[in-house]
Amino acid sequence: MADLVKVENLSVSYKIGGGLFSQNYLKAVNNVSLTIKRGSFFGLVGESGSGKTTLGRALLNAVPISSGSAHYDDGDVSYELSKLDKTQLADYRKRAQLIFQDPYAALSPRMTVRDIIAEPIEVMKLASDREEIDSRVRTIASRCRLNLEHLRRFPHAFSGGQRQRISIARALVSDPRLVIADEAVAALDVSIQADVLNLLKSLQKDMGLTFMFISHDLSVVAHICDHVAVMYLGRLVESAPTRELFKAPKHPYTKALFSAIPSLNPDDQGTAQRLEGEIPSPTNQPSGCKFHTRCPHAIDICKKEEPSLQQTDPQHEVACHRWKELFNT
Ligand code: SF4
């Protein structure tokens, strides 16, 4: 599979405090490199505050890239995201779309479902007359398993799962190549989550989509993603094909996240390795390995030197000084 997105040493910083002349910066994403293959489901996981949402926004060009690069190539166009001119940016908006977390807040209560889905077509000038707009709305609504009779109703008439399907239809109506799904099922009941995940998976196949699936829920990521990257305090700490990562994680943080997944086996209760403490503030980051304040395996070097990302297998990378002795079994 060819690469759709190639990110190299990407950082996103925000100026904080002190008004106009402040020289203090918060690095929300720090020196991240990753590759998303065309047609894949790429998972990005980590606790809240890990920088995963900011990275997703950077790939949508919704926040400025401070340093490094993100290259997009879908076979028709090839863009350097930090160097888009006005015309390229308008085109990129059609090719890269976002599915929001909260299906209740994302939809205007004053618009019908038809108008909500049609809005991006009108804003992006994707169709010239009402007939063509309606045809596109009906096509994407059917693909998202919405009842066409519901297009005349308002969002309040629908359940959470149905609203999320309306949000998905709206995001996909411009026929994008890249979709950033940011906690797209987190606000839904567990029984509805599986329904929406299965819909995303079938849309991926039918429409040739590539997903970046951002989530804090590892059981959801395991169900749907081909490859998973783990972030901690703005850094990528581990990245591997899903099966390999779940079978043999090589970073203590990944291992702790996995062992915190609730088990249905009553014999497993109480054996989970607790992740102690809170993720440190991005404005006051620890020295060396950023995980050392919570890592049960931390030694002296961990407090002094930040580990770089090392390749352990062809598609597996980890940033830990001790991965070989701890996990190379
Ligand atoms: Fe833990 Fe040290 Fe590895 Fe960081 S580098 S994860 S502190 S063992």
Side-chain angles (χ1 to χ4, degrees):
M1 270 192 283
D3 299 343
L4 182 75
V5 178
K6 192 165 178 61
V7 172
E8 286 182 294
N9 305 318
L10 185 144
S11 296
V12 177
S13 305
Y14 299 111
K15 211 174 219 187
I16 48 165
L20 211 55
F21 303 107
S22 167
Q23 291 303 313
N24 296 330
Y25 287 89
L26 180 159
K27 257 195 178 175
V29 176
N30 197 330
N31 216 20
V32 166
S33 299
L34 55 84
T35 302
I36 304 176
K37 301 278 179 200
R38 284 186 207 158
S40 68
F41 234 105
F42 186 97
L44 194 59
V45 300
E47 292 164 285
S48 107
S50 61
K52 54 193 193 307
T53 291
T54 305
L55 179 57
R57 296 286 190 279
L59 298 190
L60 288 166
N61 223 296
V63 297
I65 294 170
S66 309
S67 62
S69 64
H71 190 79
Y72 170 91
D73 183 352
D74 63 15
D76 295 327
V77 297
S78 174
Y79 292 140
E80 196 56 58
L81 296 192
S82 58
K83 295 178 184 158
L84 298 178
D85 62 27
K86 219 173 151 191
T87 313
Q88 289 171 329
L89 184 59
D91 180 57
Y92 187 64
R93 293 266 180 263
K94 298 171 199 162
R95 293 170 189 271
Q97 281 287 329
L98 173 70
I99 298 173
F100 291 96
Q101 171 181 359
D102 188 348
Y104 293 89
L107 307 176
S108 168
R110 289 185 200 84
M111 293 168 79
T112 63
V113 172
R114 182 264 173 207
D115 289 347
I116 286 169
I117 300 174
E119 194 179 37
I121 307 177
E122 288 158 2
V123 171
M124 296 179 192
K125 300 184 175 43
L126 300 174
S128 48
D129 56 51
R130 190 172 171 95
E131 207 176 306
E132 196 185 343
I133 294 172
D134 282 337
S135 162
R136 284 187 79 139
V137 169
R138 281 196 300 272
T139 302
I140 197 66
S142 306
R143 277 190 154 152
C144 294
R145 299 179 201 149
L146 288 164
N147 187 333
L148 298 187
E149 285 167 19
H150 292 171
L151 291 175
R152 273 178 284 162
R153 295 192 190 168
F154 290 87
H156 65 79
F158 298 96
S159 66
Q162 286 170 318
R163 286 185 198 209
Q164 195 55 311
R165 277 188 266 143
I166 297 167
S167 288
I168 293 167
R170 182 185 157 91
L172 301 189
V173 76
S174 65
D175 199 17
R177 304 292 88 215
L178 172 65
V179 181
I180 311 282
D182 190 357
E183 301 282 7
V185 296
L188 304 176
D189 290 346
V190 175
S191 56
I192 307 297
Q193 283 187 1
D195 187 41
V196 173
L197 290 173
N198 290 336
L199 173 66
L200 293 178
K201 200 76 185 167
S202 72
L203 288 168
Q204 178 208 19
K205 284 199 189 102
D206 294 351
M207 298 178 69
L209 301 169
T210 302
F211 276 88
M212 175 183 259
F213 191 83
I214 300 172
S215 180
H216 68 281
D217 187 338
L218 283 162
S219 46
V220 168
V221 166
H223 176 76
I224 200 164
C225 295
D226 312 308
H227 191 103
V228 180
V230 183
M231 285 188 76
Y232 188 79
L233 215 55
R235 277 95 173 147
L236 209 64
V237 296
E238 188 161 13
S239 171
T242 309
R243 204 174 286 249
E244 192 175 320
L245 192 79
F246 277 71
K247 201 168 138 214
K250 291 186 164 76
H251 195 284
Y253 178 58
T254 315
K255 187 101 176 157
L257 287 178
F258 286 167
S259 63
I261 300 174
S263 169
L264 292 177
N265 181 353
D267 296 337
D268 288 348
Q269 304 303 317
T271 59
Q273 179 192 323
R274 288 255 310 275
L275 193 53
E276 301 288 348
E278 303 255 313
I279 190 166
S281 162
T283 56
N284 187 21
Q285 302 200 6
S287 58
C289 171
K290 304 306 164 203
F291 188 55
H292 87 250
T293 53
R294 304 167 80 192
C295 180
H297 310 290
I299 54 174
D300 254 9
I301 189 176
C302 306
K303 296 172 192 164
K304 293 178 192 146
E305 281 178 32
E306 183 160 10
S308 55
L309 215 53
Q310 296 173 39
Q311 192 159 8
T312 68
D313 288 295
Q315 293 184 71
H316 198 152
E317 293 177 302
V318 65
C320 171
H321 291 303
R322 304 188 67 195
W323 73 267
K324 271 189 194 154
E325 55 179 302
L326 293 172
F327 303 117
N328 202 24
T329 49

